[in-house]
Structures are given as structure tokens and as C-alpha cells.
Amino acid sequence: IPQCPDQRFQMSRVVREFTDAVTEDQDVLLEHYLSGWEELVKFMEALGSVLGFISQDVTGKIGVVRELALGGSDRASGDAYRTLRSMIRMELARGIVNFRVKTASGCRTVLVLNRALKWLELFLEKLGRDKRRSPSELCREAYLQALARHHSWLMQRAAELAFLAVPERPEFLHIVCARDEQGVARVLGSALPAIGRVYNLTRDTLAEHNMLNLP
Ligand code: 1Q0
């Protein structure tokens, strides 16, 4: 992957964090998972203020889990936020996960972030496959497939506004420092498997505990 000396966002960092997030015994290291997201936030910030409300939402969710991991006065509960499985175990044992009403549990927060990761996977797939259509259109298509059904009517309108701010293809190439189409293909070729792997593992682990539909 090309390095971008002059830019804050590095796709290679996203790939590294999401790769490092997956452990040999099929668990997810939450700190790496959140750092991967943090890097994606930088990408959105590079696109400007219209997408600001989305990066704020993501930054807030990263903060929720990090805050829980700090554990306040309770070190033992903080330690439980090292991996996805230990977080799930602890939050279930303590009744922190609520299956009926919306709460800011770690499980619920990771679930929402992970759905957005599916959006990203679909979007990047489309970006690699369909060079003739505008990224904005591909964004919308991926959104309808992965996220829209989880969002309120109002959020869906807000998302429509965000699509208008999605730049054309050359701008994407520039932000990932790809000089040509071959360069993008290389970026996507390494990003897609890393994103796909951590997405699948996170979803499957949440599914084992019937957590795919938390409010
Ligand atoms: C690249 C352009 C980005 C355009 C993204 C638009 C798609 C998503 C639109 C979502 C709008 C909804 C905003 C907030 C909704 C929240 O209500 C919702 C639920 O939270 P809660 O607690 O209120 O129940 N939050 C979410 O569902 C999180 C949604 C986050 C969307 C994250 C988008 C991730 C963007 C990644 C950067 C793209 C990097 C591309 C690299 C390209 C390389 C060639």
C-alpha cells in the first residue's frame, strides 16, 4: 500500500489495526478494533464538514467503549473490555446488556460500529468493481444494503445529505495516495480481506449470544 507522507489518514494503518484485532483463538482485541475506526474517522474528516456529524457519532462510540475499558474505580470490569468475548461475558453477567431498551453498553456500541463496517466493506467492493459509477452512488447503494434498515427515517434523510458530500473518484485516489487505478486496486486488495475478517468474526461472535438485534 502506498504511504502518504503528507496526510493524516493512512489506509495501511486501518489494515494493520484490523488485522491485529483478530487473535489466533478467534477473538477480537477491542483496542485495535477501535484504533482501526479512529483511522477511518480521519478519512471522513479529510472530506469536510458535511460528514462531520457522522465522524462525531463514530468518535462518540469509540469513546463509549474506551471509557468502559477505563473501568472507573472498578479495575476488574475495565480489564474485561480487552477482548470482544470477555466484554460480552462480563456485560451479560452483570446485566449491562439490555435486549429491550437502548443503552450505551459496550456490546450494543460494537454492534452498531460493526454494521457500519459492513457498509464500508460493500462500498469498497463496489469501488473496486465499478469504476464508472460515482462513489456517491456506490455509497448510497451500500447504505441501502447494510445500514438503512437500522436507521430511523430522519437518519436516512441525513445519510442522503452525506452522500451529496462524497467526492468523485479522483479525490478518493488522492486521499489514499494511489497514483492510478492499479494503486487503488492494491489498496482495496489489502483492505478488503482485513475488514471482512474482523467484520465476520465480530458479527459471528455477537450472533452466538443473540446480539445482532440489540435495540
Ligand atoms: C466515504 C464517505 C462516507 C459517507 C458515509 C455515509 C454512510 C453512512 C451514513 C450514516 C448516517 C448516520 C449517522 C448517525 C447515525 C446513528 O444514529 C447511528 C446509530 O447510532 P445510535 O447510537 O444513535 O443508535 N450510527 C451508526 O449507525 C454509525 C454509522 C457510522 C457510519 C460510518 C461510516 C464510515 C466511514 C468510513 C470512511 C470511509 C473510508 C473509505 C476509504 C476509501 C478508500 C478508497
Side-chain angles (χ1 to χ4, degrees):
I1 310 189
Q3 292 290 312
C4 310
D6 56 333
Q7 262 164 48
R8 264 165 45 79
F9 170 80
Q10 302 274 355
M11 197 57 154
S12 59
R13 231 179 271 145
V14 177
V15 173
R16 194 182 335 120
E17 296 295 348
F18 284 146
T19 302
D20 290 351
V22 176
T23 68
E24 258 171 53
D25 56 346
Q26 298 298 294
D27 204 344
V28 178
L29 295 170
L30 291 174
E31 189 40 49
H32 286 295
Y33 185 85
L34 297 175
S35 296
W37 265 109
E38 215 165 32
E39 196 62 27
L40 289 173
V41 167
K42 291 187 200 164
F43 182 94
M44 282 184 276
E45 283 170 349
L47 294 185
S49 56
V50 185
L51 299 177
F53 77 102
I54 305 176
S55 26
Q56 261 172 40
D57 184 70
V58 175
T59 304
K61 286 181 167 58
I62 294 169
V64 165
V65 183
R66 287 227 169 108
E67 210 39 55
L68 289 166
L70 286 176
S73 54
D74 188 350
R75 273 301 299 276
S77 84
D79 290 345
Y81 288 91
R82 212 178 71 80
T83 82
L84 179 62
R85 287 184 196 280
S86 61
M87 172 180 80
I88 291 173
R89 225 177 296 124
M90 192 274 287
E91 288 200 337
L92 279 177
R94 298 206 181 177
I96 296 171
V97 189
N98 198 310
F99 288 83
R100 263 162 290 121
V101 283
K102 178 173 161 179
T103 57
S105 66
C107 290
R108 189 265 171 197
T109 305
V110 169
L111 171 67
V112 173
L113 283 177
N114 209 53
R115 283 174 183 155
L117 210 51
K118 184 67 193 181
W119 166 80
L120 182 61
E121 188 189 357
L122 289 173
F123 171 56
L124 294 181
E125 244 170 51
K126 292 171 194 295
L127 210 56
R129 211 181 314 127
D130 210 333
K131 294 167 194 71
R132 249 162 266 150
R133 290 166 63 209
S134 73
S136 168
E137 221 178 302
L138 302 175
C139 251
R140 173 181 295 110
E141 207 174 82
Y143 177 77
L144 292 175
Q145 289 171 349
L147 279 179
R149 77 192 117 108
H150 302 291
H151 285 164
S152 66
W153 183 85
L154 200 66
M155 273 307 154
Q156 294 184 28
R157 299 284 78 75
E160 286 297 331
L161 284 182
F163 302 143
L164 298 177
V166 173
E168 293 300 324
R169 200 171 175 93
E171 175 76 8
F172 271 96
L173 267 67
H174 177 73
I175 299 181
V176 299
C177 298
R179 246 180 278 124
D180 46 30
E181 282 299 336
Q182 232 181 340
V184 204
R186 224 173 315 125
V187 171
L188 296 179
S190 82
L192 273 168
I195 292 170
R197 224 173 288 125
V198 77
Y199 166 79
N200 285 332
L201 178 57
T202 303
R203 184 209 47 209
D204 292 348
T205 308
L206 290 168
E208 283 170 26
H209 301 273
N210 294 314
M211 287 185 180
L212 292 186
N213 292 302
L214 295 177

